[in-house]
Amino acid sequence: MEVLHPCAARPDVLQEQHLFYPLAFLKGAYVGYETLLSLLGFDEEEEVILEYYDVAYDDIVHRALPEDRTTIQIAGLGLARTGTTSLVLALEQLGYSAVHDDEQVELTDIDYYLEEDIIDGDEFHEILGERGYNATVKTANLKWVEKHPEVKAILTMRDTPESYVQSYLNAAYNHKVQATIPAERLLSFKVGDGWGPLCEFLGVPVPEDIPFPHVHTRAKL
């Protein structure tokens, strides 16, 4: 069994794939067994099916180093092309571990459980916390954030929308978010605002001599 380095914040892509392989093998074996029973005229009880999934779920999905476990504290609710990548890099600079585009390939196993309705959105984000993530700008929607008062929300907005139609849609969405999430736990943010409003909202000091990131992709040197 592969042992994760104690200093790693969370498993890398290869380690995540290694964790997912046993699930794929078990699922394939189970499907073959179920097919054989069906051909022989036997019906598998629902509770046995659930027991199979529970074993795989507990053994693989929740595997994480105790010292890395946390909870989701920040959720980005901004639409695409509103500065979400810059926000993620800023959060990482402030010490947060955030889910964004790069991390999606590391979540294939729990994505599978969510798509199959084996876990719900609450369990999904609980697992993210167990894997070391405490912020997400990719997986949380308005409904989920609304029912979790412990989570702070950041609504990134564009300074200059690309078109009138896009501007109207963005404005409608932003208004809905602002009307749904209480003001004390919502930051309406433009990346041009810089560190000040973000750090004040999160209750952390402004980084010294570090410019606020302004990027369009997640590529890092």
Side-chain angles (χ1 to χ4, degrees):
M1 177 182 296
E2 185 174 7
V3 178
L4 303 182
H5 193 280
C7 295
R10 56 181 182 270
D12 58 28
V13 175
L14 183 58
Q15 291 169 329
E16 289 281 354
Q17 291 175 342
H18 287 170
L19 291 177
F20 185 62
Y21 289 156
L23 172 61
F25 174 79
L26 288 172
K27 184 175 184 297
Y30 173 77
V31 171
Y33 175 67
E34 186 182 41
T35 301
L36 178 60
L37 289 177
S38 179
L39 291 174
L40 293 175
F42 296 98
D43 293 324
E44 189 71 20
E45 295 292 338
E46 180 179 359
E47 61 185 40
V48 176
I49 296 175
L50 292 177
E51 180 181 354
Y52 156 76
Y53 281 126
D54 288 342
V55 171
Y57 178 83
D58 292 337
D59 185 49
I60 297 174
V61 175
H62 281 293
R63 186 179 300 169
L65 296 176
E67 60 268 29
D68 293 335
R69 293 172 182 166
T70 182
T71 59
I72 295 297
Q73 303 165 21
I74 302 170
L77 292 177
L79 297 172
R81 300 181 62 82
T82 60
T84 56
T85 301
S86 296
L87 173 63
V88 167
L89 295 177
L91 290 174
E92 290 177 345
Q93 187 64 51
L94 295 174
Y96 291 93
S97 181
V99 177
H100 197 236
D101 294 331
D102 285 356
E103 288 74 23
Q104 287 301 100
V105 294
E106 301 177 12
L107 307 177
T108 53
D109 53 348
I110 57 175
D111 279 338
Y112 165 80
Y113 278 111
L114 186 63
E115 291 173 1
E116 294 294 320
D117 293 324
I118 300 171
I119 61 175
D120 59 22
D122 287 340
E123 292 169 316
F124 180 89
H125 286 96
E126 179 184 351
I127 295 170
L128 289 185
E130 290 186 356
R131 292 191 174 185
Y133 296 103
N134 55 11
T136 177
V137 298
K138 188 74 176 181
T139 62
N141 57 28
L142 179 58
K143 183 177 180 180
W144 185 84
V145 175
E146 180 184 11
K147 71 175 185 176
H148 285 274
E150 75 281 6
V151 175
K152 291 186 175 182
I154 301 176
L155 175 64
T156 47
M157 303 182 297
R158 286 177 62 89
D159 291 308
T160 54
E162 295 178 331
S163 67
Y164 175 80
V165 173
Q166 189 66 35
S167 176
Y168 176 80
L169 295 176
N170 285 353
Y173 172 78
N174 292 342
H175 176 74
K176 182 177 181 180
V177 173
Q178 292 165 340
T180 302
I181 305 300
E184 63 270 17
R185 64 184 187 98
L186 174 66
L187 174 66
S188 296
F189 182 72
K190 298 177 181 178
V191 295
D193 296 339
W195 289 114
L198 179 63
C199 292
E200 181 180 359
F201 178 67
L202 298 177
V204 298
V206 175
E208 296 183 5
D209 302 321
I210 299 177
F212 192 90
H214 294 270
V215 295
H216 296 292
T217 67
R218 189 71 187 281
K220 302 176 184 177
L221 296 179

